[in-house]
């Protein structure tokens, strides 16, 4: 369990406490622990109670809960409060824009205890009878119910990978002479996964018989840690043919003729084709595309030279500038860009104008303190409702790089959302358009945009587009990368790191870049430090 996952458990528990009108001191304790834990870079799950208590902001009670989470994946007080909370109410807590106090009002005043009942109440206009609920609020809640229903049962790629790796380890330890391989959507690195598919040479009945204690049966589906697991069987002699077929997608599978082979690579060779790794297969629709595929054209993780989009203790990050720089240098990177949140991001402790001199001086001093590594100054400037950035020009001119991003007022129609971004792109100080649609996978839809108009403007004003590598964002979507490249737009693969270890998110950004067939020539941060300086000057 990661620190962010631990923090989310405590955040969820604090909201349940509010829902049940618990002691306000207890609520604040868990809210504070959420804010503290999500900014700590060292893995808490491996620590004991005394080690945890040595960390400022973590007391004995919170430390004990973390240890309990490690042992049980939950803690007793959380189980107790969930026992008295209807499951439908817990689902309602996923709705953005209505907190636990309003959910309690819906629950207690209207007797609504599920998303279905809530949808029915909205259709009968009953929410407007409650204080603080208007027609617009009802419409927004209804839209979110529809979205939550559409993504139910899915999970993001990093969580799917962790669960599948853990399960494979257990399977291979028990069935040492059998083959097990991930296939389907996860093998192709799709950003969201509905189930984990595993191809094996052992019949699934034997797996469930031997390892019945680790699986749950939900309806006719077997689950592991709440995720559906689908086992597919193949004979030893046909294993790699079946692996290829089940990996998909179907239109790619149809390009090759089935042969009896000892590996997937041999299957491609027998079809007189270059091997195409699974991640690329969604973007190849014709045999000509497959025949012309050349792996070295595309970005690999080891190609990334610079880490762009990093948050430090100057806003809502966990590490100092120098701590991040030293960590990245040790990882083999050549440079980083510090891009803390701007003043409008008050919720993230954004850099105020009166702090600006100190912020820039800290970047300069860190640069002087480290050799063979370059730290560039930057900011993630909020795009306001009218499209302007939230600093004056005399402030923006002081940075080496400005990422322009939307963080608020996300409900706009297509025309308004597009116009808002167009104004930001035209700003002469915008160098990168950050997480373009503002989506959070499985939690919030991205706002609708006229992509052609956005891409035309980025090309005209020499603005790069961010591929945000946080596995909960992965924005822009991989399916748009080819179109962006056709406009001649550069793509910057950024971790949006809030602590130094989140540089590992670059892996997921690169996977999405590969799915979209991002060419090396169009990737901004594979440039070495001198090439990056030239790019900054050209885009100024």
């Amino acid at each position: 369990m990661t620190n962010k996952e631990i923090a989310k458990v405590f955040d969820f528990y604090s909201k349940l406490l509010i829902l049940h009108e618990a002691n306000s001191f207890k609520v604040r304790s868990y809210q504070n622990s959420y804010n503290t834990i999500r900014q700590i870079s060292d893995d808490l799950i491996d620590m004991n109670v005394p080690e945890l208590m040595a960390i400022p902001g973590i007391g004995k009670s919170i430390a004990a809960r973390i240890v309990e989470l490690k042992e049980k994946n939950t803690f007793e007080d959380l189980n107790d409060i969930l026992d008295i909370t209807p499951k439908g109410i817990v689902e309602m807590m996923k709705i953005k824009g209505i907190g636990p106090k309003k959910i309690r009002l819906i629950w207690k005043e209207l007797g609504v205890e599920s998303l279905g009942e809530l949808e029915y109440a909205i259709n009968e206009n009953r929410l407007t009878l409650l204080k603080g609920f208007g027609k617009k609020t009802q419409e927004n809640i209804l839209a979110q119910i529809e979205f939550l229903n559409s993504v139910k049962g899915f999970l993001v790629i990093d969580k799917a990978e962790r669960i599948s790796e853990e399960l494979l380890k257990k399977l291979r330890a028990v069935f040492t002479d059998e083959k097990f391989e991930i296939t389907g959507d996860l093998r192709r690195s799709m950003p969201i996964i509905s189930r984990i598919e595993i191809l094996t040479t052992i019949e699934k009945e034997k797996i469930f018989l031997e390892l019945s204690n680790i699986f749950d049966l939900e309806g006719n589906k077997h689950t592991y840690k709440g995720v559906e697991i689908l086992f597919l069987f193949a004979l030893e002699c046909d294993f790699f043919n079946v692996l290829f077929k089940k990996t998909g997608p179907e239109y790619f599978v149809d390009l090759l003729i089935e042969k009896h082979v000892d590996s997937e690579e041999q299957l491609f060779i027998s079809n007189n084709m270059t091997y195409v790794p699974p991640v690329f297969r969604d973007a190849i629709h014709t045999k000509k595309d497959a025949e012309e595929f050349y792996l070295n054209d595309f970005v690999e993780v080891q190609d990334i030279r610079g880490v762009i989009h990093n948050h430090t203790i100057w806003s809502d990050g966990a590490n100092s500038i120098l701590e991040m720089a030293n960590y990245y240098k040790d990882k083999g990177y050549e440079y980083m860009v510090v891009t803390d949140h701007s003043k409008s991001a008050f919720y993230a402790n954004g850099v105020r104008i009166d702090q600006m001199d100190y912020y820039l001086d800290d970047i300069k001093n860190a640069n002087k303190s480290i050799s063979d590594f370059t730290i560039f100054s930057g900011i993630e400037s909020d795009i306001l409702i009218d499209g302007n950035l939230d600093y004056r020009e005399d402030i923006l001119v002081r940075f080496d790089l400005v990422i322009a991003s939307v963080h608020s007022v996300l409900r706009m129609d297509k025309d308004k959302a597009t116009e808002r971004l167009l104004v930001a792109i035209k700003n002469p100080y915008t160098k990168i358009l950050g997480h373009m649609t503002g989506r959070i996978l499985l939690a919030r839809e991205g706002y609708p945009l006229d992509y052609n108009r956005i891409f035309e403007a980025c090309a005209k004003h020499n603005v790069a587009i961010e591929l945000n590598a946080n596995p909960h964002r992965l924005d822009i979507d991989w399916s748009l990368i080819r179109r962006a490249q056709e406009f001649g737009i550069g793509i910057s693969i950024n971790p949006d790191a809030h602590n130094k270890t989140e540089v590992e998110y670059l892996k997921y950004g690169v996977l999405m870049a590969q799915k979209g067939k991002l060419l090396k020539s169009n990737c901004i941060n594979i440039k070495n430090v001198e090439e990056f300086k030239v790019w900054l000057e050209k885009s100024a």
Side-chain angles (χ1 to χ4, degrees), residues 299-305 333 510 526:
V299 181
E300 301 279 355
V301 172
Q302 60 266 27
D303 296 323
I304 304 293
R305 305 282 191 88
Y333 297 102
V510 169
I526 70 164

Side-chain angles (χ1 to χ4, degrees), residues 31 39 72 118 141 161 185 189 191 195 209 223 256 317 339 376 401 410 418 428 445 463 469 494 518 530 539:
Q31 287 175 334
Q39 295 188 46
K72 303 176 184 176
L118 179 56
I141 293 172
E161 281 193 348
D185 287 354
S189 302
R195 64 188 182 189
L209 185 64
T223 64
L256 276 72
T339 52
F376 293 94
L401 183 147
L410 294 168
T418 300
E445 288 186 287
V463 171
N494 301 339
L518 175 66
E530 295 304 322
S539 60

Side-chain angles (χ1 to χ4, degrees), residues 11-216:
D11 182 49
F12 174 55
Y13 181 56
S14 72
K15 288 173 180 173
L16 286 170
L17 291 171
I18 295 170
L19 178 76
H20 290 279
E21 298 184 326
N23 179 281
S24 59
F25 177 80
K26 190 173 184 180
V27 171
R28 280 197 301 275
S29 173
Y30 282 94
Q31 287 175 334
N32 292 339
S33 69
Y34 163 74
N35 291 320
T36 299
I37 290 167
R38 69 194 185 101
Q39 295 188 46
I40 296 171
S41 56
D42 295 329
D43 287 336
L44 299 183
I45 205 69
D46 296 326
M47 298 183 186
N48 57 34
V49 169
E51 289 170 335
L52 289 164
M53 289 177 64
I55 299 171
I58 296 182
K60 185 176 181 179
S61 176
I62 298 299
R65 298 294 178 275
I66 293 171
V67 171
E68 201 173 347
L69 279 171
K70 178 183 180 180
E71 295 170 351
K72 303 176 184 176
N73 217 37
T74 185
F75 55 88
E76 189 175 347
D77 287 350
L78 175 58
N79 289 340
D80 289 344
I81 202 166
L82 283 172
D83 285 342
I84 60 171
T85 310
K87 288 184 179 179
I89 295 296
V90 174
E91 280 193 305
M92 284 166 61
M93 292 177 72
K94 296 175 185 176
I95 297 173
K96 304 287 182 184
I98 56 169
K101 289 182 179 179
K102 283 191 173 181
I103 290 172
R104 180 179 175 83
L105 200 62
I106 293 168
W107 177 19
K108 297 300 181 181
E109 295 294 321
L110 297 180
V112 168
E113 292 190 357
S114 70
L115 288 178
E117 290 176 347
L118 179 56
E119 185 176 6
Y120 185 81
I122 290 171
N123 289 333
E124 291 202 336
N125 211 35
R126 286 197 283 128
L127 255 64
T128 56
L129 301 175
L130 301 175
K131 186 178 179 181
F133 289 87
K135 189 176 180 181
K136 191 68 177 175
T137 304
Q138 281 196 147
E139 291 172 359
N140 290 336
I141 293 172
L142 190 59
Q144 286 202 55
I145 290 172
E146 291 172 357
F147 175 71
L148 288 172
N149 284 332
S150 71
V151 301
K152 196 175 290 184
F154 287 83
L155 64 161
V156 293
I157 184 173
D158 67 324
K159 186 174 181 181
E161 281 193 348
R162 288 200 305 274
I163 290 173
S164 64
E165 286 167 6
E166 181 182 302
L167 181 54
L168 283 178
K169 187 176 180 181
K170 291 182 178 182
L171 290 167
R172 288 168 177 158
V174 174
F175 305 104
T176 55
D177 296 327
E178 304 291 346
K179 284 189 172 75
F180 294 93
E181 292 293 342
I182 296 297
T183 187
D185 287 354
L186 183 54
R187 189 164 186 250
R188 299 200 321 277
S189 302
M190 296 299 285
I192 56 174
I193 310 297
S194 62
R195 64 188 182 189
I196 293 172
E197 298 176 45
I198 301 176
L199 182 67
T200 179
T201 50
I202 186 170
E203 293 179 5
K204 62 183 180 181
E205 287 76 13
K206 293 181 181 178
I207 296 172
F208 296 135
L209 185 64
E210 188 74 26
L211 295 172
S212 59
N213 61 313
I214 70 169
F215 293 104
D216 293 312

Side-chain angles (χ1 to χ4, degrees), residues 357-522:
D357 288 342
Y358 303 103
Y359 173 62
L360 292 170
D361 282 347
D362 197 16
I363 294 172
K364 288 178 185 175
N365 292 334
N367 232 336
K368 291 175 184 176
S369 302
I370 190 169
S371 59
D372 300 318
F373 188 87
T374 303
I375 307 170
F376 293 94
S377 65
I379 203 79
E380 185 181 17
S381 186
D382 267 34
I383 300 173
L384 304 175
I385 296 175
D386 61 4
N388 287 308
L389 304 190
D390 66 338
Y391 287 126
R392 303 185 306 266
E393 288 192 5
D394 62 313
I395 300 295
L396 294 171
V397 74
R398 301 179 70 181
F399 302 111
D400 295 318
L401 183 147
V402 173
I403 297 175
S405 303
V406 171
H407 289 105
S408 59
V409 192
L410 294 168
R411 295 189 183 97
M412 285 187 171
D413 62 34
K414 187 175 182 178
D415 290 339
K416 286 183 180 178
T418 300
E419 289 299 331
R420 183 185 189 182
L421 290 193
L422 290 177
V423 173
I425 291 165
K426 292 173 186 174
N427 188 304
Y429 297 100
T430 299
K431 290 186 173 66
I432 297 176
L433 182 62
H435 45 71
M436 185 172 70
T437 75
R439 77 180 185 184
I440 299 177
L441 292 171
L442 305 183
R444 183 174 72 206
E445 288 186 287
Y447 37 84
L449 295 169
D450 184 330
Y451 295 115
N452 284 343
R453 292 183 68 197
I454 297 296
F455 294 157
E456 284 172 3
C458 284
K460 180 179 179 180
H461 296 281
N462 202 18
V463 171
I465 290 177
E466 174 179 77
L467 199 176
N468 190 296
N470 184 312
H472 290 272
R473 285 191 182 273
L474 300 178
D475 185 11
I476 63 170
D477 191 79
W478 68 269
S479 62
L480 293 168
I481 290 174
R482 181 178 286 189
R483 202 192 315 179
Q485 287 187 116
E486 289 171 355
F487 283 86
I489 298 165
I491 303 290
S492 183
I493 304 174
N494 301 339
D496 195 354
H498 286 69
N499 71 61
K500 61 188 181 182
T501 62
E502 287 181 357
V503 71
E504 304 302 331
Y505 284 167
L506 285 171
K507 164 191 170 182
Y508 299 105
V510 169
L511 284 171
M512 295 307 113
Q514 291 173 339
K515 288 194 76 62
K517 296 181 74 175
L518 175 66
L519 298 170
K520 287 182 181 178
S521 56
N522 290 328

